[in-house]
Amino acid sequence: MKITTLLASAALALGLATAAVAQDTTKVGFVYVGPVGDGGWTFTHDQARQQVEAEFGDAVETVFVESVAEGPDAERVMTQMALNGADLIFTTSFGYMDPTNNVAAKFPDVKFEHATGYKRLHPNVSTYSARFYEGRAVQGHIAGSMTESNIIGYIASFPIPEVIRGINSAYLHASKLNPDVEFKIIWVYTWFDPAKEADAATALIEQGADVILQHTDSTAPHAAAQEAGNVITFGQASDMSAYAPFPRVSAILDEWGDYYIARTRAVMDGTWESVDTWHGIGDGMVGIGEITDAVPANVKEEAMALKASLADGSYHAFTGPINKQDGSVWLAEGETADDGTLAGMNFYVEGVTGDIPQ
């Protein structure tokens, strides 16, 4: 009887200890729009997830679901994560905006972080994004300097402000150096579809583009450019250095790790608050991948100087004079764009041809 009591007491103690450990572990969920192996957007978010694990060790448990469609399926996945005990959930695509807020309303004790959106309808929702348009400025400078055909192709995903800002920024900085430059834009209505991206790149090359920019997530445009020959590309979200030093001559890098670690720590220590974060090169959330020796030395030097001026705030990527596409004045000489206009940008700047799809 005494032995049984001792065993029961030991089992109870072990159970309580296990429960205590479980309670001390913060569970962090990640919802991804693409596969972790996309080589771009989702890949970088998953690298950041792994940085969270490396930073906190056994104090955190991370879970993720990849290739989650924007819409009802996203809401189902988020709900299941919350039911399974997630303390913090990062929802990493613009189209997760309404699902994130819908699920947050049902789970007030769970913290939600939505990437690239703007709705914070509940006190347990934060939003965050990066000033990708700063990286597009650097890419535009290089593209405008290096194009020989004066035709730059742009593979665009969805007609949302984030993508439109990138097109405008790239065009402004390409045309500043090369007034004869022309942008040809193909909207593919997907974030990740290698076949569609490759087809778009091939179509743009056939239209005379010798530079391809992309706001999609796969490396397929690089492969198409490599096959075509003398066509320049830029990595999107991640370095995509497998195609360096040519056709890939540089890249925009999405650096989410520091933010994910900080927000996870805030949940752990009870200091998490609903905020909106929009960081750029200066804050370390946007990086510029290695500019290869395929880029002339003077162009590389200029691009790095542009990056430095964006980082220290001495230059803004949208500095007037800038007109809208219809010729009306948007920014006067020396005037810079306010964040509200940039966040809701729904127009092209003067010189960009074509219409924004509705």
Side-chain angles (χ1 to χ4, degrees):
M1 185 69 174
K2 211 176 260 187
I3 292 174
T4 304
T5 302
L6 286 170
L7 287 172
S9 299
L12 178 61
L14 180 61
L16 290 172
T18 303
V21 169
Q23 286 175 350
D24 288 342
T25 301
T26 300
K27 190 169 186 177
V28 186
F30 295 81
V31 185
Y32 298 146
V33 73
V36 295
D38 68 358
W41 175 261
T42 294
F43 171 78
T44 60
H45 284 283
D46 198 59
Q47 292 294 299
R49 177 189 65 81
Q50 294 175 49
Q51 288 177 250
V52 171
E53 290 186 335
E55 177 73 17
F56 297 109
D58 292 340
V60 300
E61 175 191 355
T62 71
V63 295
F64 68 88
V65 180
E66 58 188 325
S67 300
V68 179
E70 296 173 324
D73 197 41
E75 195 162 329
R76 177 189 62 77
V77 169
M78 294 172 204
T79 298
Q80 195 59 53
M81 277 188 179
L83 289 172
N84 288 343
D87 301 292
L88 171 64
I89 299 175
F90 291 96
T91 63
T92 64
S93 192
F94 179 82
Y96 294 159
M97 183 158 52
D98 289 334
T100 298
N101 281 277
N102 292 344
V103 178
K106 301 171 187 174
F107 296 92
D109 294 332
V110 179
K111 311 303 183 190
F112 291 82
E113 297 267 351
H114 177 231
T116 72
Y118 54 85
K119 289 183 181 178
R120 296 177 302 284
L121 304 182
H122 309 286
N124 57 330
V125 178
S126 280
T127 50
Y128 64 101
S129 190
R131 295 181 185 271
F132 308 117
Y133 65 84
E134 294 183 343
R136 299 286 179 209
V138 177
Q139 288 186 345
H141 183 95
I142 296 170
S145 300
M146 294 188 69
T147 179
E148 295 179 0
S149 69
N150 291 332
I151 298 174
I152 295 173
Y154 206 110
I155 304 171
S157 46
F158 294 96
I160 61 174
E162 173 193 329
V163 180
I164 297 165
R165 280 194 303 271
I167 293 169
N168 285 334
S169 180
Y171 176 79
L172 286 169
H173 291 84
S175 62
K176 186 180 293 187
L177 287 172
N178 182 351
D180 296 325
V181 79
E182 178 186 358
F183 269 35
K184 291 185 180 293
I185 302 163
I186 292 181
W187 295 92
V188 292
Y189 296 95
T190 182
W191 294 112
F192 176 79
D193 187 325
K196 281 187 178 180
E197 293 172 65
D199 287 347
T202 299
L204 290 166
I205 292 166
E206 289 173 350
Q207 293 174 50
D210 62 357
V211 179
I212 300 293
L213 302 176
Q214 66 181 95
H215 202 137
T216 53
D217 299 340
S218 87
T219 59
H222 300 268
Q226 190 173 63
E227 184 177 343
N230 193 30
V231 178
I232 295 164
T233 59
F234 295 84
Q236 162 65 16
S238 72
D239 206 62
M240 299 187 176
S241 57
Y243 290 90
F246 194 89
R248 173 257 178 239
V249 299
S250 186
I252 289 179
L253 307 179
D254 299 350
E255 307 283 9
W256 304 114
D258 288 348
Y259 182 78
Y260 286 0
I261 288 169
R263 300 304 280 164
T264 300
R265 180 175 283 113
V267 168
M268 295 169 78
D269 64 21
T271 60
W272 189 97
E273 293 180 343
S274 175
V275 296
D276 177 51
T277 300
W278 200 10
H279 285 169
I281 292 175
D283 302 292
M285 195 174 272
V286 176
I288 301 298
E290 179 198 8
I291 301 173
T292 72
D293 289 340
V295 178
N298 66 307
V299 176
K300 180 175 181 177
E301 186 177 344
E302 291 165 0
M304 294 307 292
L306 175 57
K307 174 191 173 185
S309 67
L310 290 162
D312 67 20
S314 60
Y315 174 70
H316 192 291
F318 290 98
T319 299
I322 301 173
N323 291 343
K324 293 185 178 182
Q325 187 185 48
D326 62 8
S328 62
V329 175
W330 173 35
L331 297 172
E333 178 77 37
E335 186 181 4
T336 58
D338 64 272
D339 279 356
T341 302
L342 291 178
M345 183 169 273
N346 61 356
F347 59 87
Y348 285 146
V349 294
E350 189 172 47
V352 180
T353 58
D355 297 322
I356 298 172
Q358 298 303 311

